[in-house]
Amino acid sequence: MSGSPTVRRRRLSNLLRELREAKGFTAQHVTDTLGWSRGKLTHIEQNQWKRPNRRDIEDLLDIYDVTDPEQREAALTLVRQARQRGWWVSYSDVWGAGTFVGLEAETRSIRTFEALAIPGLLQTEEYAQAVIRSGGITDEDEVDRRVQARMIRKQVLTGPDAPLYWAVIDEAALRKSPPGQLSHLLEVQGPRLGIQVIPDSVGPHAALTAPFVIMDFPEPDPGTVYVSTWSDELFLEKPSHLEQYESLWRHITATALSGEDSRALIRSLIDPT
């Protein structure tokens, strides 16, 4: 199995940028030499492409004097793998380009914080339906399709290569959840899946207005932070960004209840008596 094409495309982008920088070339120089349209190389190096073109990559390898057969073959293998289609392509109407679920498919660990909603990978069908409808979607076929896509996505947490998963959830999100969803949060926890709750008693805290996901990958792929808004999504990979969110993560996990106390709080919300 070659792994996630999204991760391979990201790795190829990083490799090509590193090769150019090692030669001391500017992006403009490479673009002019190849007669490419303005910005094409920038899109490649910033992973703003969908399916790499083998000829384009061969031309870049030639310009960067990559003549070692093994090194060239390794790069072209990434091209082949990056051109494959992940399962999420069949749900492009739901996931768009699928960058997030594509990265998620090959993570070593996922750490996520949510203030007002249950994280997608922990949602039940009933809860997912309610969230989707709350976004103004009323067509039942579309609701069903989106729910189906979310349930397929959850399979990343099962199997021998499942990542470690750690969620910190604000109590406000739990209070907006039905009993069945809360029971599910208790059922799914185990050695590789943990949940902590930030109780209402804490009051405002550092991450209150900033839901985020930290994804770590096996070497050589760097980690990334995913931040979504109503109209956009950001993937942060600079070391300074990663350090900032690592610090934020340490803060909120220290602020949250322990795993045991978090489960006790969830049980109290299911049955307040």
Side-chain angles (χ1 to χ4, degrees):
M1 184 176 178
S2 61
S4 168
T6 306
V7 173
R8 298 300 181 268
R9 187 178 67 233
R10 178 174 176 247
R11 186 182 301 173
L12 182 60
S13 293
N14 291 336
L15 171 64
L16 294 172
R17 184 186 67 254
E18 291 167 0
L19 289 173
R20 176 181 61 77
E21 293 174 346
K23 293 294 291 184
F25 294 158
T26 65
Q28 188 63 55
H29 169 76
V30 175
T31 297
D32 290 344
T33 301
L34 292 175
W36 284 359
S37 60
R38 185 177 181 179
K40 178 175 178 178
L41 181 60
T42 300
H43 284 141
I44 289 174
E45 291 186 353
Q46 294 182 354
N47 194 19
Q48 296 174 351
W49 51 348
K50 291 185 178 180
R51 302 188 75 196
N53 181 289
R54 180 186 173 99
R55 177 59 185 272
D56 287 345
I57 306 308
E58 289 179 330
D59 288 343
L60 289 173
L61 294 176
D62 290 342
I63 285 182
Y64 301 149
D65 295 327
V66 179
T67 57
D68 179 78
E70 290 188 7
Q71 189 177 7
R72 287 184 70 93
E73 180 56 30
L76 295 176
T77 295
L78 285 177
V79 174
R80 290 193 296 272
Q81 294 172 342
R83 287 181 57 82
Q84 295 173 0
R85 295 165 65 90
W87 68 264
W88 49 90
V89 173
S90 299
Y91 290 89
S92 59
D93 54 322
V94 176
W95 302 123
T99 303
F100 177 70
V101 290
L103 291 174
E104 192 178 64
E106 203 173 335
T107 54
R108 181 181 61 191
S109 70
I110 300 172
R111 290 171 287 166
T112 183
F113 167 74
E114 282 284 354
L116 298 175
I118 302 302
L121 289 176
L122 300 178
Q123 293 179 5
T124 63
E125 289 191 33
E126 177 189 13
Y127 183 88
Q129 288 171 355
V131 170
I132 291 167
R133 291 193 178 102
S134 72
I137 297 175
T138 57
D139 182 85
E140 287 304 313
D141 288 340
E142 184 174 358
V143 171
D144 289 345
R145 180 166 175 77
R146 288 177 176 270
V147 170
Q148 183 182 50
R150 292 195 187 195
M151 296 303 106
I152 294 175
R153 176 189 163 210
K154 289 173 60 174
Q155 295 177 10
V156 73
L157 295 180
T158 62
D161 297 321
L164 292 170
Y165 185 86
W166 189 354
V168 176
I169 308 172
D170 199 280
E171 184 178 344
L174 302 181
R175 292 189 178 278
K176 296 175 183 294
S177 303
Q181 175 63 69
L182 296 178
S183 295
H184 180 70
L185 295 181
L186 295 175
E187 294 166 0
V188 296
Q189 293 185 59
R192 299 185 64 82
L193 195 158
I195 296 172
Q196 284 183 267
V197 177
I198 299 181
D200 289 344
S201 59
V202 168
H205 54 81
L208 186 61
T209 60
F212 62 90
V213 180
I214 301 174
M215 290 184 280
D216 299 302
F217 300 87
E219 293 293 340
D221 301 302
T224 190
V225 175
Y226 172 77
V227 181
S228 63
T229 66
W230 179 257
S231 60
D232 202 1
E233 56 183 13
L234 300 174
F235 295 90
L236 309 175
E237 299 181 358
K238 292 182 179 179
S240 59
H241 290 147
L242 296 176
E243 290 173 8
Q244 176 186 359
Y245 278 89
E246 287 287 351
S247 176
L248 180 57
W249 181 257
R250 289 192 295 271
H251 178 82
I252 63 172
T253 53
T255 301
L257 298 173
S258 67
E260 182 179 351
D261 288 343
S262 294
R263 288 189 289 274
L265 175 57
I266 294 172
R267 284 192 290 267
S268 74
L269 293 174
I270 297 173
D271 184 7
T273 59

